């Protein structure tokens, strides 16, 4: 099991914690989205690497994840960028989870940012995501995480890669789904 909440395990679907509402409905005309909420704001803070947001989401998820789970993160569209860099530091302070392999998956080359119109095609992800070869994931029970999902394609591709590399089980989780 990956999640404490048994209903979240074994669905084959992406478990999503909440919805994300963009800040602007129309940036040019400065029309704000009335659905933008505190949780959506915390996602923006996380993307800005604000420590308060990293701590917030770590504390939120820590009680949702079973001990003994390996953590992997969907890589950024930018091959040079590492995501949730401080997650490992926070995790090591608690040491509840078995292993932190957040950087096992990596972009071999950058792709256009999905939020600004990049292709969401499965083949784009399959051709640009690979693994760090010197990390063993065989027989691991994995929680595959992403911050924001829209179509889920990057999560599904990463799950397939992890299973092909020998992971025993992979559950997918996104902090938010873009609405």
């Amino acid at each position: 099991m990956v999640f404490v909440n048994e209903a979240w395990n074994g669905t084959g679907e992406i478990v999503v914690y909440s919805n994300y509402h963009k800040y602007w409905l129309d940036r040019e005309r400065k029309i704000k989205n009335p659905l933008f909420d505190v949780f959506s704001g915390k996602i923006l803070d996380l993307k800005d690497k604000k420590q308060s947001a990293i701590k917030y989401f770590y504390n939120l998820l820590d009680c949702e994840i079973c001990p003994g789970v390996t953590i992997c993160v969907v890589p950024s569209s930018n091959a040079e960028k590492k995501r949730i860099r401080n997650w490992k530091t926070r995790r090591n302070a608690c040491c509840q989870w078995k292993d932190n392999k957040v950087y096992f998956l990596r972009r071999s080359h950058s792709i256009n940012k999905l939020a600004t119109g990049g292709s969401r095609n499965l083949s784009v992800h399959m051709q640009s995501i690979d693994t760090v070869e010197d990390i063993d994931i065989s027989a691991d029970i994995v929680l595959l995480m992403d911050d924001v999902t829209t179509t889920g394609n990057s999560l599904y591709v990463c799950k397939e890669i992890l299973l092909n590399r020998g992971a025993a089980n992979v559950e997918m989780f996104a902090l938010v789904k873009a609405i």
Side-chain angles (χ1 to χ4, degrees), residues 143-155:
L143 172 60
L144 175 61
M145 294 179 54
D146 205 351
D147 52 1
V148 179
T149 189
T150 303
T151 63
N153 285 348
S154 57
L155 279 158

Side-chain angles (χ1 to χ4, degrees), residues 6-63:
E6 293 180 17
W8 290 0
N9 291 295
T11 67
E13 300 298 320
I14 300 166
V15 174
V16 177
Y17 205 81
S18 188
N19 292 326
Y20 172 76
H21 304 280
K22 62 185 179 178
Y23 186 77
W24 296 108
L25 285 179
D26 187 332
R27 185 182 295 257
E28 289 179 15
R29 297 187 320 187
K30 301 205 186 274
I31 300 173
K32 293 180 182 176
N33 185 349
L35 297 176
F36 184 81
D37 56 9
V38 171
F39 201 82
S40 297
K42 290 205 179 286
I43 290 294
L44 295 180
D45 290 346
L46 181 66
K47 289 185 169 294
D48 287 340
K49 299 180 181 75
K50 292 184 179 176
Q51 289 300 311
S52 61
I54 293 167
K55 182 179 179 180
Y56 173 82
F57 285 112
Y58 178 87
N59 290 334
L60 186 73
L61 294 177
D62 188 38
C63 63

Side-chain angles (χ1 to χ4, degrees), residues 1-12 15 64 66 169 171:
M1 275 199 351
V2 170
F3 298 109
V4 172
N5 180 344
E6 293 180 17
W8 290 0
N9 291 295
T11 67
V15 174
E64 302 286 0
C66 293
N169 181 35
E171 296 290 344

Side-chain angles (χ1 to χ4, degrees), residues 22-178:
K22 62 185 179 178
Y23 186 77
W24 296 108
L25 285 179
D26 187 332
R27 185 182 295 257
E28 289 179 15
R29 297 187 320 187
K30 301 205 186 274
I31 300 173
K32 293 180 182 176
N33 185 349
L35 297 176
F36 184 81
D37 56 9
V38 171
F39 201 82
S40 297
K42 290 205 179 286
I43 290 294
L44 295 180
D45 290 346
L46 181 66
K47 289 185 169 294
D48 287 340
K49 299 180 181 75
K50 292 184 179 176
Q51 289 300 311
S52 61
I54 293 167
K55 182 179 179 180
Y56 173 82
F57 285 112
Y58 178 87
N59 290 334
L60 186 73
L61 294 177
D62 188 38
C63 63
E64 302 286 0
I65 302 168
C66 293
V69 171
T70 296
I71 307 294
C72 288
V73 176
V74 173
S76 169
S77 59
N78 180 342
E80 302 301 314
K81 184 177 177 185
K82 298 245 191 227
R83 295 176 85 176
I84 315 180
R85 179 177 299 279
N86 293 326
W87 201 268
K88 184 174 185 175
T89 304
R90 300 273 326 147
R91 199 269 328 165
N92 285 343
C94 176
C95 292
Q96 168 182 303
W97 304 327
K98 172 187 170 192
D99 211 345
N100 185 322
K101 298 176 181 174
V102 294
Y103 300 129
F104 178 71
L105 296 163
R106 65 178 180 185
R107 271 300 159 190
S108 57
H109 60 275
S110 296
I111 62 171
N112 292 331
K113 190 172 178 175
L114 303 179
T116 58
S119 173
R120 296 182 185 275
N121 191 305
L122 286 170
S123 65
V124 169
H125 297 295
M126 197 57 96
Q127 295 167 5
S128 66
I129 297 174
D130 62 12
T131 60
V132 175
E133 296 300 328
D134 61 343
I135 297 176
D136 183 20
I137 198 128
S138 59
D140 284 9
I141 297 170
V142 178
L143 172 60
L144 175 61
M145 294 179 54
D146 205 351
D147 52 1
V148 179
T149 189
T150 303
T151 63
N153 285 348
S154 57
L155 279 158
Y156 288 115
V157 165
C158 288
K159 178 180 180 177
E160 183 178 334
I161 291 168
L162 291 167
L163 290 170
N164 287 340
R165 297 294 190 280
N169 181 35
V170 178
E171 296 290 344
M172 300 173 290
F173 180 86
L175 293 173
V176 293
K177 179 170 179 64

